[in-house]
Every structure is written in C-alpha cells, then in structure tokens.
Amino acid sequence: MAQHDQLHRYLFENFAVRGELVTVSDTWQQIMEHHDYPAPVKTILGELLVATSLLTATLKFDGDITVQLQGDGPMNLAVINGNNNQQMRGVARYKGEIPADADLKTLVGNGYLVITITPAEGERYQGVVGLEGDTLAACLEDYFLRSEQLPTRLFIRTGDVEGKPVAGGMLLQVLPAQDAQADDFNHLAALTETIKAEELLTLPANDVLWRLYHEEEVTLYDPQNVEFKCTCSRERCADALRTLPDEEVNSIIADEGEIDMNCDYCGNHYVFNSMDIAEIRNNASPADPQVH
Ligand SMILES: [Zn+2]
C-alpha cells in the first residue's frame, strides 16, 4: 500500500529526463476541511494541489508557487499555494449550483490559469495562459510550452482509496542544458500516460515506476513529505487591519465589540478588541520603519 502525502523524484539513467511522482490525501482533506465544496470543486482543488506540488518540486531555489484558476464561471477562483518544503494551502470560491458532472470549462467558464513564482530572494515571475486545454494538466503543459524551454508533461489522477480522497500526479521534464531526443521523451511520456488512477493512488512509488518503465533504468530518490500548512498569523491580520481606514475599524468595534478575522485557507479566527486596535495603531506610528 502506498504511503500518501509524499513527493518522489526519479531519474532515467539512459535519457536526459527526470520525473516526479506525488500523492496527497491528508493534505487535500485538510484544505477542504473548513468548507463545504461541491464534488467538482473538490476534484479541481485536488488536481491543483497535485500540480502545485509537482511545480514547486521543480524549483531550484527557496520560494513558493501559486497556481490559480480564475474565470467568469460558477467557480470564479480556485487557488493552491505551496513552497519548496512542500507546505500547501488553498481555497476555492464558487456561487450557485454546480452540476455534479461539471468539467473544468463548466466550472471556470472563460478564464485563465495564472502561475506565480515567488523566490524567497529575487524577482517574482508570473505566467498567464488562457484555458484552452480540456484538463488542468493540458493547460499546464500549455503554460510550460509558452513560458519555458524545457519540454514538460503532467499526468494527474484523482479518486478514493478506502473511503478517503486521494489525488496523485506525475511530471516528466527534459533536463536543462541536455539533449534529450524528442522521440525518447515522447516514448517515456506515452508510457507514463498509461498510469491508471488505481495504480498511482494505491501502489508504492517503486511499484508504479516498475509497472510503467520496467525496461528502463530508473533511480528513485528518497521522498519529501507533503503537508498542509497555512501561513496566516495574528501579525499578518494586524498588518491588514493597519491598511483599513480608522473610521471603518471604529465602526466595526462600535457595532460588534470586536473584529473577528477569519482565514479562508485554514479556518483560524483572529479576534481584535478595542485594546488590541489601540496597540496596533500605537505600533503603526510613522517612526516605525515597517510601515509603508
Ligand atoms: Zn490560515
């Protein structure tokens, strides 16, 4: 039985191609925990989570990646944010009835896939592609085609294992600055594409690789854990409050007695009373270099 919430990297010894394999279960469930998402929204969040994990694993530096779907459909936003330590969080917004069999196009409508790469140090990069593919994987491949030189393929599967939702994915990418023959890459991609959800979501990684590539020499590296982690904090909420006009804050305090800020990602509440607000304003004096 596979251990979920792990990311594996692997390398083909005879081709300049690398691979990644990830499955997520607890991480996905924790993202959905404080929401009552319709099934198609859950599925797309699982796919986005897998995609974000695979993409962050391609980073050569510390930083994070946000993969976001936005459009004019009933699900106008779905976003997953993850970092190079495979700490993930995400949220979706939707309105109205969502048909149980809604596909990507029905959910997002006319929309975009937005990928934002934020290095811990250095310039932020953002790539935007229209939703032309039928699946998230196809849209991501389109993004790689337009934004990077490295040929990349993604394969994403979702399902249930023993009553729990599990999502998994594989990524193949030509190694930078090496000559992988297009035929070889296409051959490996064709093998990878045959992966069934049941195999990817239930078998240990080395069994999956054996089933797909038993005629190839493949090195599988130690896995990295994937986990749910929200980056919200009381300090960040205080920063957000500082950006609001005083009258607005005063009016909420007058009406409610306190300000209750709720994190969309993890469901945490941060409560500020009038004493807290006074302290925040004190700390926000012009002498404070942190305040812009
Ligand atoms: Zn949070």
Side-chain angles (χ1 to χ4, degrees):
M1 187 67 191
Q3 197 175 339
H4 296 130
D5 299 282
Q6 288 192 328
L7 176 108
H8 300 261
R9 293 173 173 84
Y10 58 94
L11 194 63
F12 293 94
E13 293 304 318
N14 300 316
F15 305 103
V17 175
R18 60 187 210 82
E20 296 169 5
L21 184 161
V22 69
T23 57
V24 285
S25 183
D26 288 349
T27 310
W28 188 16
Q29 289 173 70
Q30 282 174 278
I31 284 171
M32 301 187 289
E33 195 174 306
H34 298 278
H35 303 269
D36 189 21
Y37 294 128
V41 174
K42 289 182 178 175
T43 301
I44 206 70
L45 276 172
E47 293 187 2
L48 277 174
L49 175 59
V50 164
T52 308
S53 170
L54 294 171
L55 261 60
T56 51
T58 68
L59 287 177
K60 309 284 184 297
F61 46 80
D62 289 356
D64 70 78
I65 295 188
T66 301
V67 183
Q68 187 171 325
L69 288 165
Q70 55 189 64
D72 60 6
M75 186 192 72
N76 55 344
L77 176 75
V79 56
I80 298 282
N81 169 258
N83 64 23
N84 57 292
N85 295 318
Q86 292 293 325
Q87 295 169 324
M88 304 283 156
R89 62 178 195 154
V91 73
R93 301 219 170 85
Y94 67 97
K95 51 187 184 300
E97 286 290 305
I98 306 247
D101 61 349
D103 59 11
L104 182 68
K105 285 267 166 63
T106 313
L107 280 173
V108 185
N110 294 310
Y112 298 93
L113 174 70
V114 183
I115 293 171
T116 310
I117 301 172
T118 311
E121 288 172 28
E123 294 263 319
R124 171 180 283 209
Y125 167 83
Q126 192 163 69
V128 181
V129 288
L131 286 189
E132 274 149 43
D134 289 332
T135 62
L136 180 64
C139 296
L140 284 158
E141 287 172 0
D142 196 28
Y143 157 79
F144 273 103
L145 203 63
R146 286 159 195 261
S147 65
E148 309 220 353
Q149 303 301 316
L150 302 173
T152 304
R153 296 289 313 272
L154 282 106
F155 310 89
I156 301 176
R157 309 283 185 261
T158 57
D160 280 288
V161 178
E162 292 171 349
K164 287 181 180 170
V166 185
M170 301 182 77
L171 175 146
L172 284 189
Q173 189 171 62
V174 170
L175 290 170
Q178 294 201 38
D179 269 340
Q181 297 297 315
D183 282 355
D184 291 338
F185 186 66
N186 291 339
H187 166 67
L188 296 176
L191 293 176
T192 313
E193 196 158 26
T194 64
I195 191 68
K196 295 188 182 75
E198 192 202 332
E199 296 171 316
L200 181 58
L201 306 182
T202 64
L203 296 176
N206 53 355
D207 289 4
V208 171
L209 299 189
W210 172 253
R211 286 210 182 184
L212 294 176
Y213 319 119
H214 47 85
E215 286 176 9
E216 314 299 340
E217 251 184 87
V218 183
T219 303
L220 177 65
Y221 296 96
D222 286 341
Q224 186 177 8
N225 289 329
V226 182
E227 61 173 351
F228 173 82
K229 190 170 194 289
C230 192
T231 52
C232 71
S233 66
R234 193 169 173 82
E235 194 43 51
R236 285 189 180 203
C237 287
D239 286 344
L241 282 176
R242 282 189 190 102
T243 67
L244 294 178
D246 284 359
E247 312 84 72
E248 199 178 322
V249 173
N250 292 346
S251 139
I252 300 171
I253 293 280
D255 292 348
E256 316 279 336
E258 60 190 23
I259 294 180
D260 183 350
M261 297 180 81
N262 174 25
C263 176
D264 264 357
Y265 288 93
C266 68
N268 259 352
H269 284 267
Y270 298 92
V271 178
F272 297 86
N273 60 25
S274 53
M275 298 261 289
D276 300 324
I277 299 296
E279 194 177 322
I280 287 169
R281 285 178 183 158
N282 243 351
N283 290 340
S285 68
D288 186 343
Q290 298 298 311
V291 177
H292 304 286

